[in-house]
Amino acid sequence: MRSTIKVFQVLETLCMDNPAGVAELSSRLAVKRSSMHRFLSVLTHQGYVEKNANTGKYCATLKVFQLGVSVRNKLSLIHLARPYMEELGRKFHETINLSLFIENSVVVIDRVESLETLRIDHGIGRRLPAYCTALGKVFLANLAKEELEKYCEEQKLQAFTKRTVTSSKELKRDLKSVREEGFAIDDREVDDGIRCISAPIRDGSGKVVAAISISGPSTRVTLQRLKSFKRPIINLTAEISRKLGYG
Amino acid sequence: MRSTIKVFQVLETLCMDNPAGVAELSSRLAVKRSSMHRFLSVLTHQGYVEKNANTGKYCATLKVFQLGVSVRNKLSLIHLARPYMEELGRKFHETINLSLFIENSVVVIDRVESLETLRIDHGIGRRLPAYCTALGKVFLANLAKEELEKYCEEQKLQAFTKRTVTSSKELKRDLKSVREEGFAIDDREVDDGIRCISAPIRDGSGKVVAAISISGPSTRVTLQRLKSFKRPIINLTAEISRKLGYG
DNA sequence: ATAACTGTTCCACAATATGGAACCTAATGA
DNA sequence: TCATTAGGTTCCATATTGTGGAACAGTTAT
């Protein structure tokens, strides 16, 4: 089903990148202009794409967004974790994130926002690198040895701040302690202004299926204050894990 | 491109409804089992769908969610409105919603959540009926006459509470005042526990492109308190409209 | 004015999806 | 226990359907 696959590639391109015309898309995806025109007609008729009347370029519509949202909303984990996350948000007035580990990245699927003017705000759906975030380290620490090895080979450990761990040897040492302690910290490793703490959620089989974090601006969330979040977040994730049948 | 369209229908079904197997999907979408199997293979290979190892049923993955999110995040309106919405949220400690009008429904595309225990929480991406919500009335009030007529014909005015307006005549009278006053109120029309106020955002051409609302539990947000939100929300939407070139 | 590029339509041909049949496994029930 | 049903999967000859070159029109650049 080559053409169907191509049509999905067209849709993905329009979702991720800027609006584009027939010719641009046809050269980028190696499809003849006439075929691309047909693909775009189909996508338009199905409501996934629309043609801007002024520029003549095609762009993705919010139908894709709505479909995606309904997928997200079916995750029972979100509804289960929500009240706990809100409780934590009210308690500390910092942003609480719930995330999954998808294709070597952390994906934020829900959050409770701090109402402070200065606060952390990864948008929902945002993909974050794993090796330098608290959430990510929780997932990496609980990978099978071969999987972690594979991750280290595939992932370039780019430095975002001078604290970012860029050697896989050092990373593995860090992860060992994350595994033993049951929580992870990101002390300005992805951004000089951010500190974050995270702990794992496990399902009935003990597998780490998600992670929750508390993150805040480093000016307000000192290392000391961050560490004071440790017990509450570990208790919270343990409680959610218990509801998933763990322990 | 019949098959491509069918594949999209399969994906939509799996996004909206429960996980399903080959046979169920093939009968629901009038596709032979062997073809459905092929469709699902394609969707699986492209990462949109996955087969649950235990139940054998197929369900949509978060790839769809991520695609949708990236469409949403490209809307400049969201980034423009954000700081204003947050300011309003901090001021009143009630939920602020930003919405669009899509296919006769209100679609919430962003929000600032109240941190109160009791508060309103339509999830992002949620579709709400227009005729009985403050957001919706703002949009309906600014439709062309024929469009409103068409809406009234198509939409069944279902009663959610005893205050829900169910006659199109009465609705039109309400909308007239919304148009004249420049804001709309929902006084427990969709839920006995909710009050809400909303005002329109206009682009350079004067067209209503979005609406913002403040909503809260009726116990805390009395009609009087709701009305005190009127000036702030009108000023706010006027300011955003001005940035879009209006006025 | 010319050239270059883009969007769109058309059509004969070639590629590819279709759907019936058969096979396998798991679940159901007599 | 064995028969029966239902669902998942593979295969293949046939016919439907997508392909891509060509041609035209509209737009912008030279």
Side-chain angles (χ1 to χ4, degrees):
Chain A
M1 306 206 37
R2 287 246 299 277
S3 61
T4 303
I5 292 174
K6 280 289 176 199
V7 171
F8 273 101
Q9 285 176 5
V10 173
L11 182 59
E12 282 181 31
T13 305
L14 289 175
C15 286
M16 310 293 287
D17 298 350
N18 295 324
V22 176
E24 182 184 343
L25 286 167
S26 72
S27 68
R28 274 174 56 181
L29 296 176
V31 167
K32 290 284 168 292
R33 283 221 313 280
S34 54
S35 295
M36 183 55 73
H37 185 259
R38 194 156 25 89
F39 293 166
L40 289 167
S41 299
V42 171
L43 285 170
T44 305
H45 272 101
Q46 303 303 307
Y48 292 104
V49 152
E50 63 191 10
K51 188 175 172 178
N52 185 304
N54 301 321
T55 63
K57 301 201 169 193
Y58 291 84
C59 70
T61 68
L62 284 170
K63 177 168 183 177
V64 186
F65 174 59
Q66 289 181 65
L67 267 192
V69 165
S70 62
V71 174
R72 190 202 85 122
N73 288 343
K74 283 191 299 182
L75 294 179
S76 54
L77 178 63
I78 289 183
H79 306 288
L80 178 64
R82 252 278 143 183
Y84 296 100
M85 291 169 64
E86 289 175 1
E87 194 188 322
L88 216 55
R90 274 196 297 278
K91 200 158 161 187
F92 297 123
H93 295 281
E94 302 293 351
T95 299
I96 316 297
N97 285 303
L98 173 66
S99 73
L100 305 180
F101 189 62
I102 300 178
E103 288 167 19
N104 285 349
S105 294
V106 172
V107 177
V108 178
I109 58 166
D110 200 14
R111 65 170 173 194
V112 170
E113 291 177 89
S114 159
L115 278 183
E116 302 291 324
T117 311
L118 179 63
R119 55 90 198 277
I120 308 310
D121 178 23
H122 311 301
I124 285 182
R126 175 85 172 276
R127 291 178 74 103
L128 303 168
Y131 65 93
C132 54
T133 57
L135 289 165
K137 286 194 249 181
V138 165
F139 289 114
L140 293 178
N142 290 282
L143 286 181
K145 205 172 165 216
E146 320 81 74
E147 288 177 314
L148 177 59
E149 208 57 64
K150 193 155 144 269
Y151 175 84
C152 289
E153 278 165 28
E154 288 173 1
Q155 183 71 45
K156 190 166 165 291
L157 305 183
Q158 184 193 349
F160 293 103
T161 73
K162 57 176 185 256
R163 281 181 185 75
T164 309
V165 173
T166 54
S167 108
S168 62
K169 200 173 158 191
E170 196 181 341
L171 178 62
K172 284 173 196 167
R173 197 164 50 233
D174 283 6
L175 295 179
K176 187 160 177 286
S177 103
V178 169
R179 194 162 43 244
E180 285 162 1
E181 306 265 2
F183 75 99
I185 275 181
D186 155 22
D187 180 12
R188 295 167 290 169
E189 287 165 53
V190 71
D191 186 304
D192 271 319
I194 300 178
R195 284 201 184 86
C196 184
I197 185 168
S198 173
I201 295 176
R202 295 169 190 275
D203 67 9
S205 72
K207 187 169 176 289
V208 174
V209 291
I212 283 184
S213 73
I214 308 176
S215 58
S218 50
T219 47
R220 190 168 62 225
V221 180
T222 59
L223 203 51
Q224 192 188 353
R225 181 156 177 251
L226 191 71
K227 283 176 178 165
S228 76
F229 296 158
K230 178 187 154 188
R231 286 301 342 149
I233 198 170
I234 287 186
N235 289 343
L236 176 116
T237 51
E239 176 63 18
I240 297 174
S241 300
R242 211 182 50 74
K243 291 224 170 177
L244 291 174
Y246 177 66
Chain B
M1 308 205 40
R2 287 247 297 277
S3 61
T4 303
I5 292 174
K6 279 289 175 197
V7 172
F8 272 101
Q9 284 176 6
V10 173
L11 182 58
E12 282 180 31
T13 305
L14 289 176
C15 285
M16 310 293 286
D17 297 351
N18 295 323
V22 176
E24 182 184 342
L25 286 167
S26 72
S27 67
R28 276 175 54 180
L29 297 176
V31 167
K32 289 284 169 289
R33 283 220 314 278
S34 53
S35 296
M36 182 56 73
H37 184 259
R38 194 157 23 89
F39 293 167
L40 289 167
S41 298
V42 171
L43 286 170
T44 304
H45 273 100
Q46 303 303 306
Y48 291 104
V49 152
E50 61 191 12
K51 188 175 171 178
N52 184 306
N54 302 321
T55 63
K57 300 201 168 193
Y58 291 84
C59 69
T61 69
L62 284 169
K63 178 169 183 178
V64 185
F65 173 59
Q66 289 181 65
L67 268 191
V69 164
S70 63
V71 173
R72 190 201 85 123
N73 289 342
K74 283 191 297 183
L75 294 179
S76 53
L77 177 63
I78 290 183
H79 306 289
L80 178 63
R82 253 278 145 182
Y84 297 100
M85 291 170 63
E86 288 175 2
E87 194 188 322
L88 217 55
R90 274 195 297 277
K91 200 158 159 188
F92 297 123
H93 294 282
E94 302 293 350
T95 299
I96 317 297
N97 285 302
L98 173 66
S99 75
L100 305 180
F101 189 63
I102 301 179
E103 288 168 20
N104 286 348
S105 294
V106 172
V107 177
V108 178
I109 58 166
D110 200 14
R111 66 171 172 193
V112 170
E113 291 177 88
S114 157
L115 278 184
E116 301 292 324
T117 311
L118 179 62
R119 55 90 199 279
I120 308 308
D121 177 23
H122 310 301
I124 286 182
R126 176 85 172 274
R127 292 177 74 102
L128 303 168
Y131 65 93
C132 54
T133 57
L135 290 163
K137 286 194 248 180
V138 164
F139 290 114
L140 292 178
N142 290 282
L143 287 181
K145 207 176 163 214
E146 322 81 74
E147 288 177 315
L148 178 58
E149 208 57 63
K150 193 154 145 270
Y151 175 84
C152 289
E153 279 166 26
E154 289 174 359
Q155 182 72 43
K156 190 167 165 292
L157 304 183
Q158 184 193 347
F160 293 103
T161 73
K162 55 175 185 257
R163 281 181 183 76
T164 309
V165 174
T166 54
S167 110
S168 62
K169 202 173 153 190
E170 196 181 340
L171 177 62
K172 284 174 195 165
R173 197 164 51 234
D174 284 6
L175 295 179
K176 186 160 178 285
S177 103
V178 170
R179 196 163 41 246
E180 285 162 0
E181 307 265 5
F183 74 101
I185 275 182
D186 155 22
D187 180 13
R188 294 166 292 167
E189 287 167 54
V190 71
D191 185 305
D192 271 318
I194 300 179
R195 282 200 185 87
C196 184
I197 185 168
S198 171
I201 295 176
R202 294 169 190 277
D203 67 10
S205 72
K207 187 169 177 292
V208 174
V209 292
I212 283 184
S213 74
I214 308 177
S215 58
S218 50
T219 46
R220 190 168 61 224
V221 181
T222 59
L223 203 52
Q224 192 188 354
R225 180 153 179 253
L226 191 71
K227 283 175 180 164
S228 76
F229 297 157
K230 180 187 152 186
R231 288 299 347 145
I233 199 170
I234 287 186
N235 290 343
L236 176 115
T237 51
E239 176 64 19
I240 297 174
S241 299
R242 211 182 51 72
K243 291 223 170 176
L244 291 174
Y246 177 67

